[in-house]
Amino acid sequence: MNNRNYNIYFNTHTISGIIICALLYVIFFAGSFAFFRNEIAAWQNNASYKTYKENHQSFDKLLDSLKGEANLHGRDINFYMHREGTSAYVGYTASNDTILNKENLSKITPEQKAEKKKGRRRRGGDDDSKNFTYNFVNQKVGDYAKNYDMGEFLFRLHFLAQLNQVPISVGIAPFGYLVAGITAFIFLFALITGLLLHWDKLVSNFFVFRPFSKWKTVWTDMHTALGVIGFPFQFIFAVTGTFLIVNSVLALPFSKLLYDGDQQKMYQDIGVSAKEDYAYSYKSLNKDVKIAPFLDMAKTKWPESEFLRIVVKNYADSNMHVIMELEPHFNSSFAGSGILTVKVADNKIVEEKSPLTGASYGDYVRSIIYRLHYGDYGGYPLKMVYFILGVMGCLVIISGILIWLVARDKNNVIPRKRKFNFWAANVFTAICLTMLPVTAITFIAIKVSPKVDQDFIYRVYFYAWLLLSLYYIIRRSIRRTNRETLLVGSILAFIVPIANGLVTHNWLWKTFVDGQTDLFIVDFLWLMIGIIGLLAFYKTKKFFQKIQ
C-alpha cells in the first residue's frame, strides 16, 4: 500500500473513530444486553414468559373489562404484541359513530383531560382515545411509564432514544434517533478504513498478540485482533442499524409528502401492514362480540407463527373486522409475514396470506435486516454469541481510545495538546467503563425496590452514571478507572443473582429446574460476567506487576 492511501485510511479511521467512540460504546454495551430484552423484563417482573400457556380468551376478558370504563362500540382497537405474545401495547380510538363519539366526549371529566395531556405515551388530541400496556401473564393493566422495565430501558438506550428528551429540534427526526443514525453511518467509515489499514498484513498478523511489550503495542494488538475477528459482526450491525434508523427517520417526511401524514396508509401500500379501510355501517352486530375464535383460527392454520399485531375494526358494528398480522417462528421460516382478516358478521375470510410460504421480496429484505440486527433466529446459543461479539466491540472501542492517547503522548507534542488528548481520553474512558457497575447497580435496585417505574430506572441509572463518571474523571487515572470499574462491576455482577434469590426466592438452580429459562438466563449471564471480570482483573493485576 502506498503512503498516500495509507495516510488517507489512517486519518479517516482515527478521526471517525474518536468522534463517535463514547456514543458507539454506549450503543454496543446497551445493545449487548438488549439481546435479552424479553428475559430481563421477565426477570424484573418475576414472571416467566417461557412457562406461559397462551389463552386467547384473555383478549375477550380484557375487552369485557374495558367496557366497564368506556363504550367500545364503533371503536378501532389495536394490540401490538411483544414478548412472545405475553404482553401488548393496547390502544383504542374514538368511536367511528359520530353520535356516540359526541356522547363519549361529553362524559370526559376535567381530571381525565388533565391526565390525558400529562401522559407521556398517550396519543390523540382531545378525544377519548386511550393507550396502555397489558401483561397477559399477571393480567395487569398500566401505562407505559408504570410498566417500564430495564429491558425496555437498555433496548432504547442502544439507539439513544433517551436523547429525544433533549429540546433540540432537527425537523426530520427525533434528536436521539438522528444522533444514533449518524453514529452508525460514521461507524461504517471507521470499519472499512480499519480493515483496509490492516489488509496487507491481515493473515500474517491475525494471531499476533504481544501482552508484555510497550503499552501502544499491547493496545494495538488487542484492537487489531478483536477488530478483525469481530469485523463481520460489526459490519452487519453498522449496516442494519443505519438502515433501521434511516427507515424510521425517512418514514415521517415521506408520509407527510406523499400521504398527507398517514403513515398507516403508506405502510399498507408497501406491503408492511394489512388493509384496514373498512367503513363503519351504523348497524349493530347481531351476535356476541368475541375475537378469541378468530385468533384460534389463525393459530390452527399456522401454529408455527406468532401474532405481531391484532386490530379490531369497528367494534360491535355489523362491518366489524378482525385483522391479524403474524410472523413465523425462526425455526420454521427465516422470512415471511402473514395476514388473516375476518369479517365477524359472517365469519368470512376477507384476506389471507400465509406467514410460512410465499414470502415476498420485501419480506426477505425486512426479515434479513431485523433478524440479523436483533439476533432472534437461533435461540439462546446465538444470543450468547451476539452478546460476546458485542462485548468484543466494546473492547475494540476502549483499546482504540488508548491507542489514540498513547500515540500522541510524546515529547514532541506541545503540552497543551497533550493535556487536551489526555482529558479527552480520560472523559471517554470514564463515561464508557462506568456503564458496567452502573448497570449492575440498577439491576440490584429494581429488584430490592418495592416500586419500579420509568422515573425510578432513569434516576438510578443516570444519577449513578453521572456520579461515577465525574469521580473517575476527577481522579485523572485511566489505569485506575480501568481496573476499579472492572473489579467493582464484577463484584456487583455476583450480587445481582443473589439479590434476586433473596427477594423472590427464585434462585438460579430453581429457575433452571423449573424450566424458567428466561429468568435463569439473566442470573446466569450476570454470574458469568462476574467470574470472567474477576479473572480479567486478576490477570491484569499480575500483568501490571510484571511490567512495573
Side-chain angles (χ1 to χ4, degrees), residues 123-410:
R123 297 179 181 179
D126 296 327
D127 58 24
D128 64 335
S129 61
K130 185 177 181 180
N131 292 275
F132 58 94
T133 61
Y134 186 76
N135 190 316
F136 289 97
V137 178
N138 52 30
Q139 298 182 357
K140 286 186 177 180
V141 177
D143 62 24
Y144 179 80
K146 289 181 180 178
N147 284 359
Y148 199 76
D149 58 68
M150 193 63 186
E152 178 75 359
F153 174 83
L154 290 169
F155 172 72
R156 296 183 66 77
L157 182 62
H158 107 276
F159 52 89
L160 310 180
Q162 285 81 357
L163 289 181
N164 293 342
Q165 304 299 322
V166 176
I168 298 177
S169 177
V170 290
I172 62 171
F175 178 68
Y177 297 166
L178 187 64
V179 173
I182 293 173
T183 302
F185 187 69
I186 295 176
F187 182 43
L188 276 174
F189 282 92
L191 278 175
I192 295 171
T193 53
L195 185 67
L196 292 173
L197 274 175
H198 303 290
W199 187 258
D200 290 344
K201 297 181 179 180
L202 190 64
V203 177
S204 60
N205 289 356
F206 190 82
F207 296 105
V208 173
F209 188 65
R210 295 157 287 184
F212 302 110
S213 185
K214 57 184 180 180
W215 276 116
K216 184 182 178 182
T217 304
V218 173
W219 298 126
T220 301
D221 287 349
M222 179 180 175
H223 188 75
T224 304
L226 295 182
V228 171
I229 292 170
F231 176 83
F233 168 83
Q234 293 163 13
F235 183 78
I236 287 171
F237 259 68
V239 172
T240 57
T242 301
F243 177 87
L244 291 172
I245 291 294
V246 169
N247 180 52
S248 62
V249 167
L250 294 181
L252 182 61
F254 270 111
S255 65
K256 286 183 177 179
L257 179 65
L258 302 176
Y259 291 88
D260 296 325
D262 189 352
Q263 289 193 40
Q264 192 61 41
K265 176 63 175 173
M266 180 183 70
Y267 289 135
Q268 290 172 12
D269 285 350
I270 63 178
V272 175
S273 59
K275 174 187 173 184
E276 296 181 19
D277 51 344
Y278 299 104
Y280 183 72
S281 69
Y282 287 88
K283 297 178 182 178
S284 296
L285 183 68
N286 294 322
K287 61 188 297 187
D288 291 336
V289 183
K290 301 290 183 183
I291 68 170
F294 306 111
L295 305 182
D296 293 337
M297 180 194 301
K299 276 305 183 77
T300 301
K301 284 177 173 289
W302 309 302
E304 296 298 319
S305 63
E306 294 179 357
F307 291 112
L308 281 179
R309 190 168 74 109
I310 300 166
V311 181
V312 180
K313 191 74 176 176
N314 304 319
Y315 185 85
D317 182 70
S318 63
N319 200 31
M320 174 179 168
H321 286 71
V322 177
I323 306 164
M324 294 154 280
E325 297 176 3
L326 306 93
E327 69 173 355
H329 292 159
F330 69 86
N331 53 1
S332 298
S333 178
F334 186 82
S337 62
I339 297 172
L340 184 64
T341 302
V342 182
K343 186 176 181 180
V344 177
D346 53 9
N347 297 338
K348 179 182 178 181
I349 296 177
V350 177
E351 185 178 5
E352 181 176 353
K353 177 179 179 290
S354 172
L356 304 175
T357 59
S360 65
Y361 174 77
D363 290 332
Y364 279 111
V365 172
R366 201 161 51 245
S367 296
I368 287 173
I369 290 171
Y370 278 88
R371 290 200 183 278
L372 287 179
H373 194 81
Y374 294 128
D376 61 352
Y377 57 95
Y380 286 130
L382 183 67
K383 286 188 176 184
M384 282 294 184
V385 171
Y386 266 53
F387 181 85
I388 293 169
L389 290 170
V391 173
M392 283 174 55
C394 295
L395 297 176
V396 170
I397 295 166
I398 290 298
S399 59
I401 295 172
L402 297 175
I403 293 171
W404 180 84
L405 174 63
V406 173
R408 286 155 181 77
D409 189 20
K410 298 177 181 178

